[in-house]
Amino acid sequence: MKYRMYMVSIEKVVSKPERKAFISFPSSLYRGDPNWIPPLMMERLEHLSGKNPGTEHIQWQAWVAKKNGRIVGRITAQIDSLHRERYGDDTGHIGMLDAIDDEEVFSALFAAAESWLAAGGTRKITGPFSLNINQESGLLIEGFETPPCALMPHGKPWYAAQVEQQGYGKGIDLLAYWMQRTDLSFSPALTRLMEQTRKKVTIRCINRKRFAEEMQVLREVFNSGWQHNWGFVPFTEREFAVMGEQLKYLVPDDLIYIAEIDSAPCGFIVGMPNINEAIADLNGSLVPFGWAKLLWRLKVSGVRTARVPLMGICKEHQFSRIGPVIALLLIEALREPFARRHIDALEMSWILESNTGMRTILEKIGAKPYKRYRLYEKAL
């Protein structure tokens, strides 16, 4: 099916060649942008297929916009049954938005996405998500001058104005914090609190022999700790199991830590080498020599930056005196293995702008906000 608005043609993405063109479009749009990192085609194709465990609860459709036969924009629309269970049967989402600076293109893309969502009963739209809030989220509105870390989106400066022109308003902002490893420091008062808490809290590495079980422990802590956050959707067992299989090969054991009190898990942290640094010059392909380069860079030569994509403190401890200290102990646990691997800097992301507790902790130990992503909302 095709939608047409003036000189813009909107086409549904259905076949594998069309999905490849959809995935490849941003690389042409961002040509000349030194901060653009092409995603791995293989990984993106799996993301937009039944191999993505999120598709068990997410229905989605993608479109491209064309002018004179050339792709000039793209968008997806999603309906997430888990989101609807929590927030109502009238919710839906948009995502994977990229386009030239042209109001007609944005209008045509959003018309197609909103029409599809409305047909599915949607009256409240949030996003962008790729494909839900537990994957790439937000529209970059500050921080265009640096490349994105792994599993974080990039963007063009005109996106925000074009999205707002379509009637979307701010829902909430997500922040990414940057920290030089050598800047990580704890005040004497924090150090005393951490030493006192060590008597009650055990920080241990993940047990690789029980990796699948350990990942479900992380899932339970995450779902407990994040359940009241804006737009929260729980991870399913299969989603975390698949994520675990990926982390097993990409993240060393001593970069995943679990906090326990009386042998009961109460928090965790994952420090992931910045894969974007390793794939920046591969142009989205692992053939013919991309696999070798990627493995060499991750396992031998190393990368110099990392990202903390997952961290959680159990609900029962979040607002207690001990909760913030558990977070500090988990962050501290990464310092020595990062130093051993010559990882010089890390991104902590993403943090809800409303999460003043975590933001205060990060700023007290030397981290600075350097990117801002916006989640939008609109009532149809």
Side-chain angles (χ1 to χ4, degrees):
M1 181 183 295
K2 295 185 179 182
Y3 301 82
R4 188 170 296 278
M5 181 175 289
Y6 305 108
M7 300 299 293
V8 181
S9 172
I10 299 295
E11 300 180 6
K12 273 188 174 182
V13 173
V14 178
S15 67
K16 186 173 181 179
E18 289 169 343
R19 289 201 304 275
K20 284 186 173 181
F22 177 90
I23 294 165
S24 298
F25 166 67
S27 289
S28 64
L29 180 68
Y30 291 96
R31 188 172 292 122
D33 182 344
N35 296 309
W36 168 247
I37 299 176
L40 294 175
M41 177 62 73
M42 179 184 301
E43 187 277 330
R44 289 289 84 184
L45 282 172
E46 288 196 1
H47 183 72
L48 296 177
S49 76
K51 293 182 180 180
N52 179 349
T55 57
E56 293 177 353
H57 56 90
I58 300 170
Q59 293 177 283
W60 64 275
Q61 178 60 54
W63 296 264
V64 293
K66 290 185 177 180
K67 271 192 170 184
N68 300 319
R70 183 174 64 91
I71 296 178
V72 291
R74 70 174 193 171
I75 198 171
T76 63
Q78 304 92 244
I79 292 175
D80 186 337
S81 62
L82 291 184
H83 190 279
R84 287 190 161 189
E85 286 177 11
R86 295 181 67 88
Y87 304 103
D89 290 339
D90 59 350
T91 64
H93 318 285
I94 49 95
M96 301 186 79
L97 175 66
D98 287 289
I100 62 173
D101 192 8
D102 184 322
E103 186 178 344
E104 289 184 10
V105 172
F106 275 84
S107 294
L109 286 168
F110 275 90
E114 291 175 4
S115 176
W116 185 88
L117 288 168
T122 297
R123 297 294 177 267
K124 303 172 187 174
I125 302 176
T126 54
F129 302 124
S130 171
L131 293 167
N132 79 349
I133 198 168
N134 294 327
Q135 298 164 359
E136 290 184 12
S137 298
L139 191 77
L140 182 67
I141 61 170
E142 293 177 10
F144 299 95
E145 64 280 0
T146 54
C149 274
L151 307 178
M152 294 293 284
H154 195 41
K156 287 289 191 181
W158 60 76
Y159 286 0
Q162 291 285 6
V163 170
E164 289 161 16
Q165 187 69 26
Q166 302 305 313
Y168 287 76
K170 175 182 174 181
I172 198 168
D173 284 355
L174 315 175
L175 301 175
Y177 278 78
W178 189 255
M179 177 190 296
Q180 297 294 324
R181 175 175 50 81
T182 52
D183 289 342
L184 176 61
S185 62
F186 304 98
S187 68
L190 287 179
T191 300
R192 285 194 297 272
L193 279 174
M194 291 164 70
E195 290 305 317
Q196 292 170 6
T197 305
R198 273 186 231 279
K199 300 172 184 177
K200 304 176 182 177
V201 178
T202 301
I203 307 292
R204 66 171 179 83
C205 288
I206 198 166
N207 184 342
R208 182 165 288 265
K209 293 180 180 179
R210 300 174 55 248
F211 201 90
E213 297 170 56
E214 295 275 65
M215 288 304 297
Q216 293 309 315
V217 169
L218 268 58
R219 183 183 76 91
E220 291 170 8
V221 173
F222 182 92
N223 285 346
S224 165
W226 284 61
Q227 63 181 299
H228 298 300
N229 284 352
W230 190 98
F232 166 78
V233 174
F235 274 104
T236 66
E237 288 188 20
R238 183 160 177 261
E239 283 174 319
F240 236 78
V242 171
M243 183 189 302
E245 288 301 309
Q246 297 167 344
L247 292 178
K248 185 185 295 184
Y249 295 105
L250 297 173
V251 181
D253 296 357
D254 62 353
L255 293 182
I256 305 177
Y257 287 91
I258 296 174
E260 297 177 333
I261 296 177
D262 297 328
S263 300
C266 60
F268 77 93
I269 194 168
V270 175
M272 181 174 68
N274 184 10
I275 301 166
N276 275 9
E277 185 183 334
I279 68 170
D281 63 349
L282 299 185
N283 199 31
S285 177
L286 291 176
V287 294
F289 304 114
W291 276 113
K293 289 180 179 179
L294 178 59
L295 290 174
W296 175 266
R297 291 165 182 173
L298 289 177
K299 304 295 185 181
V300 183
S301 65
V303 296
R304 297 294 172 260
T305 57
R307 179 184 170 221
V308 174
L310 289 169
M311 182 176 179
I313 305 296
C314 281
K315 177 188 173 185
E316 63 186 288
H317 298 296
Q318 278 185 344
F319 301 104
S320 69
R321 185 170 179 269
I322 201 174
V325 190
I326 294 172
L328 290 172
L329 292 173
L330 287 165
I331 294 170
E332 183 195 39
L334 292 174
R335 180 160 53 178
E336 194 279 329
F338 276 171
R340 191 167 59 248
R341 290 177 172 81
H342 307 290
I343 291 174
D344 301 320
L346 68 147
E347 177 179 293
M348 303 279 291
S349 61
W350 44 259
I351 314 295
L352 286 168
E353 65 175 343
S354 58
N355 189 349
T356 54
M358 180 55 69
R359 292 179 60 190
T360 299
I361 288 173
L362 292 177
E363 290 166 18
K364 280 186 175 181
I365 62 175
K368 297 179 174 62
Y370 84 118
K371 287 183 184 286
R372 181 180 291 267
Y373 303 85
R374 182 153 295 167
L375 291 174
Y376 285 90
E377 55 190 8
K378 178 181 178 178
L380 288 182

